[in-house]
C-alpha cells in the first residue's frame, strides 16, 4: 500500500461514506406518506457556497413578510429584536430596532406585581402570536403552527424545502380525497397540509419598491428564515476560511519538517 | 542520568521523575521504522478525545439539564454565547470524527493483526474504550432534548425491557421514572460528563500496554534490534503532527461549512413526547449495530446479537488462529478482511433504512456474515491458509522495497546479530 496516495483518499472516503450513509434516511419521510414528492425546486440563494452572504435587502423584505403575514400564526421564540441590528443582523440601526420592537406588546409584571402589557424592548424575544400551545391549537383548527426559528435546519431539504412549500400550493388533483380543512401541497409529505396558502402575488407592498410576486416573497422570507436559523452563519464561514488557510499552511510546513526529520532514515 | 542541564528541571526530576518518564517514553521509546499512515489514527483519536473534553467543558458551563430548558439553553449557546456556535459545532461534529478515526484505528488493528500476542490486553482495552465511547455518545445525543434525542433515548432504553422477567423493572430503574423524563436527562448528563474521564483513564492503560511491547507494524514481525526502529521523538511526533494537521483540514471543512451534514434535522425540533417522528434513527456511527438489532425478528435475541457484535471483538485474539500477524502475508484473510469492511458499510446502510423489502434481506445476510467472519472464518482460515514467507527483519524488508542494491547488502551484514 502506498501511504502517500492512501491518506487523502482515506480522509475523503471517510467523509463521503459518512455523508452517503446519512442520506438514505431522508427521502423515506416523503415515501412514508405513500406518494412520491417531486424533486424540490432548484433555486439559487445569496447565502450559498463557502463565501456566500445574506443579501441584506432580501433579509429586510423577508422580515417584512414574516411580520405582516407569517407572524399572525407562527412564533419565532429563539430570535430577539437585538439580533436584527447591525451588520451581523439585518442591517438595521439600534434606533430602528427599538422602534420595531416597540410596535409589539408583551406581557410583563409591573413594580406592584400586577400583570401588564408593555411595549417590547430590543432584548425581548420575538413576541409570539399565541400565549400558549392550546391557544394556538384552538385558533388553528387543531393544528399547532410550528415555531419558525429553526425551521430551515429542522426540515430535510432546508431552504429549498420551505421555498417549495410556500410555492407548492395547487388545486388537489382529481381523485385525491382531501381531509377536512386540509390544503394540497406538492412538496409536503402526504400532500395534505393544514396551513392554507400564505403568500400570493402582491401579498405585501415592499418598502423598497420591489415587485411582490409569489416567487419573490417566498425567496425573501426563506432568506430571512435561513438567517434566523443560524444568525452566526456569516461569522462561521469567515472564521472557517481563516482557519482552513492557516491549517493548509501549517500542513505544508509540517510536511516539509517531517520529510526533513526522516531524511536520514531509510524507510 | 541527567535529562537536562537545567537546575530546576533536575531538582523537580529528582523528586518527581516526570522528565525522566517523558524522556523514556518519547526520546528512548523505540518504534518500528516502517509504520505507514494508518498508524496515525491512534494519536488522532487521542486528539479527538481531548477536543471533545475541552469543548464539552465549555458547553457544560452554559447548558441547563432540565426538560424545560435544555433545548433553549443549547440554542442560547448557538445564538447568544460568544463562540458558542463554534464550541457546539466542534463538539457535535467532533463525536462523528472521533468515531471515524476510531473505526479506522480498529480496522487497521484487524488488518495488521495488532491484537495478537503479546498485545491481547492492549486490544481488549481498546474494545472497552469503544464501548465507553458508544455509551457516552448515546447519552450526549440526548442532552439537546430534540425530537431524536427523546425518541432515541426511549427506543434504546426500551431495549432492556426484552430481558425476561425483570426487563420492565430495569427500564424503570434506568429512566428514574415511568417514562424518559427529567431524572433520565439529569443522569445522562451526569454520566456524559463522567465517562469521558473514565475513557481518559482507560486510554492511559491502553498506552501503558502499548509501550510495554511497542507498536506492531505493517509487516507484523517483531523488532529484532536497533536497526529496525527509530525513537518515537522526533520521527513519529513529526509524522503524527503532519497527519493531525491534514486531518484537521477535513474536520474544519465540515465544522465551518457543513456543520449539520451528519446530524438529523429532526433534532432541531424540541422533544415532544406526544408526537413520534416519522423515522427514529440513531446517529450514523451506531447504524451497523442498529441493523444487527433489527435483523433478528425476536426482540431478546436481537438485543443479544447487538451486544454480541461488540463483545465478539474481545475474543478476537483467540479466534484468529494464524501465527502470522499482518494480512500483507495472508492471501486469503486479506480478502476476507475487505469483505468485513464492505459488510460493515452495508449494515450501516441497512440501519439507515426502514426494515422493508430488500433491506431486510441485506440486513440478515450482513448480520450472519458479520458473525461468520469472526466465529468461523477467522479460526478456519488461520488453520488452512498458507501464508507468504516473512522477511527476516524490518530493516531488510524496508531496504528491499527501496531497491538499494549495495545498501541492502550493507544492511544485511549489519542486521546479523
Amino acid at each position: 500500500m502506498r501511504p502517500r496516495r492512501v491518506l487523502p483518499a482515506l480522509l475523503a472516503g471517510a467523509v463521503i461514506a459518512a455523508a452517503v450513509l446519512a442520506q438514505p434516511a431522508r427521502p423515506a419521510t416523503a415515501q412514508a406518506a405513500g406518494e412520491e414528492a417531486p424533486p424540490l425546486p432548484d433555486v439559487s440563494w445569496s447565502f450559498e457556497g463557502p463565501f456566500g452572504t445574506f443579501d441584506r435587502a432580501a433579509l429586510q423584505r423577508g422580515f417584512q413578510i414574516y411580520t405582516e403575514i407569517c407572524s399572525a400564526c407562527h412564533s419565532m421564540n429563539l430570535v430577539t429584536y437585538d439580533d436584527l441590528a447591525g451588520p451581523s443582523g439585518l442591517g438595521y440601526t439600534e434606533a430602528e430596532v427599538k422602534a420595531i420592537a416597540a410596535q409589539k406588546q408583551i406581557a410583563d409584571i409591573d413594580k406592584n406585581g400586577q400583570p401588564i402589557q408593555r411595549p417590547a424592548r430590543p432584548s425581548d424575544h420575538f413576541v409570539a402570536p399565541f400565549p400558549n400551545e392550546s391557544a394556538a391549537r384552538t385558533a388553528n383548527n387543531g393544528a399547532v403552527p410550528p415555531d419558525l426559528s429553526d425551521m430551515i435546519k429542522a426540515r430535510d431539504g432546508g431552504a429549498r424545502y420551505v421555498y417549495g412549500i410556500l410555492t407548492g400550493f395547487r388545486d388537489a388533483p382529481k381523485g385525491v380525497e382531501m381531509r377536512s380543512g386540509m390544503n394540497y401541497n406538492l412538496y409536503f409529505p402526504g400532500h395534505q397540509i393544514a396551513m392554507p396558502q400564505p403568500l400570493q402575488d402582491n401579498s405585501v407592498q415592499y418598502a423598497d419598491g420591489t415587485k411582490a410576486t409569489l416567487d419573490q416573497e417566498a425567496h425573501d422570507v426563506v432568506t430571512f428564515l435561513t438567517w434566523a436559523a443560524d444568525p452566526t452563519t456569516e461569522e462561521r464561514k469567515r472564521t472557517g476560511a481563516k482557519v482552513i488557510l492557516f491549517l493548509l499552511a501549517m500542513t505544508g510546513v509540517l510536511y516539509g519538517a517531517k520529510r526533513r526529520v526522516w531524511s536520514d532514515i531509510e524507510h | 542520568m541527567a535529562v537536562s542541564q537545567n537546575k530546576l528541571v533536575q531538582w523537580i526530576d529528582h523528586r518527581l521523575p516526570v522528565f525522566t518518564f517523558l524522556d523514556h517514553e518519547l526520546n528512548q521509546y523505540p518504534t518500528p521504522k516502517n509504520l505507514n499512515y494508518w498508524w496515525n489514527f491512534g494519536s488522532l483519536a487521542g486528539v479527538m478525545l481531548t477536543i471533545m473534553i475541552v469543548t464539552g467543558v465549555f458547553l457544560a458551563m452554559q447548558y441547563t439539564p432540565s426538560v424545560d430548558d435544555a433545548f433553549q439553553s443549547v440554542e442560547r449557546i448557538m445564538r447568544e454565547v460568544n463562540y458558542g456556535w463554534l464550541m457546539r459545532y466542534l463538539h457535535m461534529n467532533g463525536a462523528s470524527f472521533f468515531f471515524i478515526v476510531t473505526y479506522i484505528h480498529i480496522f487497521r488493528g484487524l488488518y495488521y493483526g495488532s491484537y495478537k500476542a503479546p498485545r491481547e490486553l492492549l486490544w481488549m482495552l481498546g474494545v472497552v474504550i469503544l464501548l465507553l465511547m458508544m455509551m457516552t455518545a448515546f447519552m450526549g445525543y440526548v442532552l439537546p432534548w430534540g425530537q431524536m434525542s427523546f425518541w432515541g433515548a426511549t427506543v434504546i432504553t426500551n431495549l432492556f425491557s426484552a430481558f425476561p422477567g425483570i426487563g420492565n423493572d430495569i427500564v424503570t430503574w434506568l429512566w428514574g421514572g415511568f417514562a424518559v423524563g427529567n431524572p433520565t436527562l439529569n443522569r445522562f448528563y451526569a454520566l456524559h460528563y463522567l465517562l469521558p474521564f473514565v475513557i481518559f483513564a482507560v486510554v492511559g492503560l491502553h498506552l501503558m500496554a502499548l509501550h510495554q511491547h511497542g507498536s506492531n507494524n505493517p509487516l507484523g514481525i517483531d523488532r529484532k534490534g536497533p536497526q529496525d526502529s527509530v525513537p518515537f521523538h522526533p520521527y513519529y511526533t513529526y509524522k503524527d503532527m503532519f497527519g493531525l494537521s491534514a486531518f484537521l483540514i477535513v474536520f474544519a471543512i465540515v465544522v465551518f461549512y457543513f456543520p449539520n451534514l451528519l446530524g438529523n434535522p429532526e433534532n432541531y425540533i424540541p422533544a415532544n413526547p406526544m408526537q413520534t417522528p416519522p423515522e427514529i434513527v440513531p446517529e450514523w456511527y451506531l447504524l451497523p449495530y442498529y441493523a444487527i438489532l433489527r435483523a433478528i425478528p425476536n426482540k431478546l435475541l436481537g438485543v443479544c446479537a447487538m451486544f454480541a457484535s461488540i463483545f465478539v471483538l474481545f475474543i478476537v485474539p483467540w479466534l484468529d488462529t494464524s501465527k502470522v500477524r499482518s494480512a500483507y502475508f495472508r492471501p486469503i484473510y486479506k480478502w476476507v478482511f475487505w469483505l468485513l469492511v464492505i459488510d460493515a458499510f452495508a449494515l450501516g446502510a441497512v440501519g439507515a433504512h426502514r426494515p422493508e423489502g430488500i433491506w431486510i434481506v441485506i440486513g440478515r445476510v450482513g448480520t450472519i456474515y458479520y458473525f461468520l467472519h469472526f466465529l468461523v472464518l477467522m479460526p478456519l482460515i488461520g488453520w488452512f491458509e498458507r501464508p507468504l514467507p516473512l522477511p527476516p527483519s524490518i530493516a531488510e524488508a524496508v531496504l528491499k522495497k527501496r531497491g538499494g542494491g549495495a545498501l541492502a547488502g550493507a544492511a544485511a551484514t549489519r542486521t546479523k546479530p
Side-chain angles (χ1 to χ4, degrees), chain B residues 187-207:
Chain B
R187 62 189 54 190
F188 278 20
Y189 181 50
L191 294 172
H192 183 70
Y193 206 115
L194 170 71
L195 287 182
F197 298 96
V198 179
I199 294 178
F200 203 82
V202 182
V203 167
L205 294 175
H206 191 66
L207 283 174

Side-chain angles (χ1 to χ4, degrees), chain A residues 10 24 150 228 230 236 251 267, chain B residues 75 79 89 245 256 353 402:
Chain A
L10 169 80
D150 271 344
D230 227 339
R236 168 159 56 77
T251 306
H267 67 284
Chain B
E75 283 296 327
R79 290 161 184 270
Y89 278 153
S245 192
F256 290 105
H353 288 83
R402 284 264 142 168

Side-chain angles (χ1 to χ4, degrees), chain B residues 151-166:
Chain B
W151 290 99
T154 303
V155 168
I156 300 299
T157 47
N158 254 318
L159 294 179
F160 290 89
S161 70
F163 287 100
I166 51 166

Side-chain angles (χ1 to χ4, degrees), chain A residues 124-149:
Chain A
D124 286 317
H125 286 86
F126 278 18
V127 177
F130 301 106
N132 53 55
E133 198 185 301
S134 300
R137 190 182 299 280
T138 309
N140 288 284
N141 202 17
V144 183
D147 186 89
L148 295 184
S149 317

Side-chain angles (χ1 to χ4, degrees), chain B residues 44-59 86-87 89-95 97-98 200 244 247-248 251 255:
Chain B
L44 288 179
V47 170
M48 280 320 301
L49 175 62
T50 313
I51 290 177
M52 294 306 281
I53 289 179
V54 170
T55 54
V57 166
F58 282 113
L59 290 174
L86 179 60
M87 292 298 126
Y89 278 153
L90 280 173
H91 199 74
M92 191 174 123
N93 289 291
F97 278 81
F98 195 4
F200 203 82
L244 171 64
F247 164 77
L248 286 179
F251 184 39
V255 166

Side-chain angles (χ1 to χ4, degrees), chain A residues 44-47 53-67 84 89-92 204 206-208 210 215-228 234:
Chain A
S44 67
W45 309 97
S46 57
F47 50 82
T53 54
F54 295 107
D55 173 355
R56 283 319 182 269
L59 282 182
Q60 295 195 3
R61 288 195 301 269
F63 176 58
Q64 185 185 347
I65 305 262
Y66 170 73
T67 311
L84 301 171
L90 268 52
Y92 291 122
V204 294
Y206 277 133
D208 65 1
T210 304
D215 284 349
Q216 181 71 43
E217 291 164 5
H219 198 274
D220 288 341
V221 79
V222 168
T223 303
F224 168 70
L225 291 175
T226 306
W227 166 84
E234 290 170 340

Side-chain angles (χ1 to χ4, degrees), chain A residues 1 3 6-7 10-11 14-15 17-19 21 24-26 28-29 32 50 78-80 125 149-150 153-156 228-232 235-237 239-241 243-244 247-248 250-251 254-255 257-258 261-262 264-267, chain B residues 33 37-38 41 71-72 75 78-80 83 85 89 100 104 111 230 234-236 238-239 241-242 245-250 252-253 255-257 259-263 265 268-269 278-279 287 345 348-349 352-354 398-399 402 407:
Chain A
M1 253 178 245
V6 162
L7 187 70
L10 169 80
L11 292 172
V15 172
L21 282 182
R26 295 181 174 178
T29 319
L78 302 172
V79 186
T80 67
H125 286 86
S149 317
D150 271 344
K153 287 200 290 188
R155 293 292 181 278
D156 292 326
D230 227 339
T232 53
E235 184 192 3
R236 168 159 56 77
K237 289 182 184 178
T239 313
V243 168
I244 289 166
L247 285 173
L248 282 170
M250 192 165 85
T251 306
L254 284 169
Y255 183 65
K258 183 249 161 195
V261 164
W262 280 84
D264 61 341
I265 298 281
E266 286 291 344
H267 67 284
Chain B
K33 65 196 319 194
Y37 278 100
W38 297 106
F41 287 87
F71 189 88
Q72 264 74 13
E75 283 296 327
M78 297 285 292
R79 290 161 184 270
E80 291 170 37
Y83 290 102
W85 57 268
Y89 278 153
I100 291 173
I104 293 172
Y111 187 84
V230 291
Y235 294 98
Y236 285 108
Y238 273 88
K239 192 173 178 181
M241 280 198 295
F242 162 61
S245 192
F247 164 77
L248 286 179
I249 294 174
V250 181
I253 288 172
V255 166
F256 290 105
Y257 295 105
N260 294 305
L261 175 72
L262 300 169
Y268 280 109
I269 302 171
E279 199 91 17
L287 287 174
F345 276 97
H353 288 83
R354 303 173 152 262
V398 164
L399 291 173
R402 284 264 142 168
L407 262 174

Side-chain angles (χ1 to χ4, degrees), chain A residues 17-101:
Chain A
V20 167
L21 282 182
Q23 293 304 329
R26 295 181 174 178
T29 319
Q31 285 160 10
E35 274 177 86
E36 197 76 31
L40 293 173
D42 198 4
V43 199
S44 67
W45 309 97
S46 57
F47 50 82
E48 279 175 326
F51 302 106
T53 54
F54 295 107
D55 173 355
R56 283 319 182 269
L59 282 182
Q60 295 195 3
R61 288 195 301 269
F63 176 58
Q64 185 185 347
I65 305 262
Y66 170 73
T67 311
E68 292 182 17
I69 298 167
C70 320
S71 73
C73 302
H74 291 277
S75 60
M76 283 187 86
N77 292 331
L78 302 172
V79 186
T80 67
Y81 294 104
D82 264 341
D83 292 340
L84 301 171
S88 64
L90 268 52
Y92 291 122
T93 63
E94 303 262 339
E96 284 171 321
V97 167
K98 211 168 171 182
I100 289 169

